[in-house]
Amino acid sequence: MVSSLSEWFWNERLWFPEGLGWADLEDKDGRVYAKARDLWVVLPIALAFLVIRQIFERLVATPLAAVMGVKEKVRLTVSHNPTLESFYCNTTKNPSQSSIDSLCKQTGCSERQVQRWFRRRRNQDRPSLQKKFKEASWRFTFYLLAFIAGLVSLSQKPWLYDFKEMWQGSLPQTLLPSQYWYYMIELGFYVSLVFSVASDVKRKDFKEQMVHHMATIFLISFSWCVNYIRAGTLIMLLHDSSDYLLESAKIFIYAGWRNTSNYVFFLFAAVFIFTRLYIFPFYIIYSTYIYPMTMYSPFFGYYFLNFLMMVLQCLHIFWAILILRMAVRFLSSDEKVEDERSDKEETDESGEEEEGVEKKGAVLNGHTAHNNHRKTE
């Protein structure tokens, strides 16, 4: 059964148009071609990225956070309450009103005390500003370097300026060393993001991010296997062109550089909308959907590649809506731009407890610490 499944999976008619097959990707006459077995090198590259990231965050991002003035907010800790802690860990972090009433009876606390306990407990689990700063710094560094490297490697290639050139010449197309490393490094980085998802900051669009990462990994891998190398390099370059701007805007937000973060955000929004909602659908997808039809009949790989492209485009539209909402909110209220894709507990209400601290003094474990000193006459 396994052999039959493997034979079906690697069937040439699934991966190639009629007239081409795996034998055509064997190196010959000094010409080198992309091969599916090359993708195994991605795993050690992904693991290397995880190690490099730890070194970068300790030796570069942490000192940079201190230089830029990233300051942690004081978070009030909760008192040890086994009943509330068990409910928080095993049931939900956001209890309903009926659950709060039940917990009040079990613990003997007032409704306000239970609500405050859960609010502070959620705040304790929120990632620190420094953690978010280090994560954004790492991604900014990679995306910027990847964009520069991709731009340099493609600057002399005709298909960067005329997308029809992606399909010019004989098929399959030969592989250049710069294309090999561009593919492997980009793919290795996205695989490392999947490996580190458990420890990274959880954001509101976590599911969409995972779909994006998986679609990107499949798209890069598939374009490599079926020799759509030129199209793949353009897709990676286009995505890197705006990602580093988003991460830099986050860096400035976490550092408290309000005006700078706003300017960078609007620059990111302009680049994102231009590249993801104009260049990507009307030029890249058009090139992968229309031009191949002039050379060969459609096959499964052709449809699968364009399906992955459409998945990415749907995510682009989703994120563009969030970006426009943020921009409109900023322009209408003149407030600082906040990332709507921030971690899930980022928007948790904390103003009430901060106000309580300012007005009533220190608050310890959900109870006000009263001043017991009496005025003597």
Side-chain angles (χ1 to χ4, degrees):
M1 179 178 178
V2 175
S3 59
S4 300
L5 182 61
S6 176
E7 183 179 352
W8 171 84
F9 181 79
W10 295 109
N11 189 302
E12 293 181 344
R13 296 286 67 80
L14 290 177
W15 296 79
F16 298 98
E18 188 174 355
L20 291 177
W22 297 113
D24 296 294
L25 296 182
E26 294 299 325
D27 300 342
K28 53 187 174 183
D29 301 328
R31 297 166 66 91
V32 179
Y33 301 97
K35 305 172 188 63
R37 61 176 178 268
D38 296 336
L39 296 178
W40 286 110
V41 76
V42 168
L43 293 179
I45 290 177
L47 295 176
F49 268 126
L50 295 177
V51 175
I52 295 172
R53 174 178 176 175
Q54 295 301 316
I55 298 173
F56 174 88
E57 290 185 352
R58 287 190 178 188
L59 301 183
V60 179
T62 300
L64 181 62
V67 171
M68 296 187 68
V70 177
K71 298 179 180 179
E72 295 292 345
K73 294 181 180 179
V74 177
R75 297 181 183 179
L76 303 176
T77 58
V78 299
S79 60
H80 178 64
N81 190 312
T83 302
L84 298 181
E85 184 68 25
S86 176
F87 188 91
Y88 179 88
C89 295
N90 301 322
T91 306
T92 179
K93 298 180 180 180
N94 296 278
S96 62
Q97 184 60 45
S98 60
S99 297
I100 292 177
D101 294 338
S102 175
L103 291 171
C104 289
K105 295 177 181 179
Q106 296 178 46
T107 60
C109 298
S110 67
E111 178 180 325
R112 184 179 180 84
Q113 288 174 328
V114 172
Q115 291 174 338
R116 183 185 294 119
W117 190 95
F118 274 93
R119 182 167 58 250
R120 292 177 181 169
R121 184 65 178 83
R122 289 193 296 268
N123 285 337
Q124 284 182 208
D125 284 349
R126 283 170 50 190
S128 65
L129 270 182
Q130 190 168 91
K131 176 179 174 60
K132 292 188 286 187
F133 180 90
K134 291 189 292 186
E135 181 179 314
S137 299
W138 165 247
R139 297 192 183 197
F140 164 77
T141 302
F142 175 82
Y143 289 136
L144 178 61
L145 294 178
F147 175 67
I148 294 174
L151 196 60
V152 170
S153 65
L154 293 176
S155 60
Q156 302 299 321
K157 306 299 185 293
W159 57 87
L160 178 63
Y161 311 100
D162 184 0
F163 293 148
K164 290 183 180 180
E165 292 291 333
M166 283 191 291
W167 311 106
Q168 297 300 318
S170 60
L171 293 176
Q173 298 166 342
T174 55
L175 176 68
L176 302 175
S178 60
Q179 293 173 327
Y180 173 86
W181 287 110
Y182 191 25
Y183 255 83
M184 296 301 115
I185 291 175
E186 283 273 356
L187 188 55
F189 179 76
Y190 279 105
V191 172
S192 73
L193 292 182
V194 175
F195 287 164
S196 64
V197 68
S199 60
D200 286 345
V201 176
K202 299 295 186 298
R203 303 187 182 279
K204 294 179 182 179
D205 63 344
F206 172 77
K207 294 180 180 179
E208 291 81 5
Q209 280 282 6
M210 286 304 300
V211 172
H212 175 270
H213 292 340
M214 297 308 298
T216 302
I217 290 172
F218 278 119
L219 180 59
I220 295 176
S221 302
F222 187 77
S223 65
W224 176 269
C225 292
V226 297
N227 202 243
Y228 285 179
I229 305 299
R230 296 177 181 178
T233 54
L234 289 178
I235 294 170
M236 292 186 292
L237 179 68
L238 181 139
H239 281 74
D240 291 336
S241 65
S242 61
D243 286 342
Y244 73 91
L245 292 173
L246 173 62
E247 300 302 330
S248 63
K250 292 180 185 178
I251 289 174
F252 292 124
I253 288 176
Y254 302 146
W257 296 20
R258 171 178 171 175
N259 291 333
T260 305
S261 67
N262 291 341
Y263 295 142
V264 175
F265 170 78
F266 280 110
L267 177 60
F268 156 74
V271 174
F272 183 94
I273 291 174
F274 178 72
T275 56
R276 308 290 181 94
L277 300 188
Y278 178 65
I279 298 295
F280 189 75
F282 295 109
Y283 287 90
I284 303 293
I285 294 182
Y286 181 86
S287 299
T288 60
Y289 185 77
I290 299 298
Y291 294 149
M293 298 282 288
T294 63
M295 297 182 294
Y296 46 73
S297 300
F299 61 105
F300 172 79
Y302 163 82
Y303 291 116
F304 185 66
L305 177 75
N306 284 284
F307 166 75
L308 293 175
M309 301 275 276
M310 293 306 300
V311 170
L312 287 182
Q313 185 57 33
C314 290
L315 292 172
H316 295 165
I317 295 173
F318 169 79
W319 283 319
I321 293 173
L322 293 183
I323 291 169
L324 292 175
R325 283 174 53 189
M326 293 161 61
V328 170
R329 187 174 62 188
F330 169 75
L331 293 174
S332 60
S333 62
D334 194 28
E335 296 178 354
K336 70 176 181 179
V337 174
E338 294 182 355
D339 185 9
E340 289 204 13
R341 298 168 50 249
S342 59
D343 57 283
K344 292 184 178 181
E345 300 300 335
E346 184 72 17
T347 57
D348 190 43
E349 295 294 337
S350 58
E352 179 182 337
E353 64 185 28
E354 291 176 356
E355 181 181 357
V357 172
E358 293 177 358
K359 290 184 177 181
K360 299 180 181 179
V363 179
L364 302 176
N365 298 329
H367 300 280
T368 304
H370 297 285
N371 188 347
N372 293 324
H373 296 286
R374 296 183 179 180
K375 182 178 179 180
T376 58
E377 297 182 357

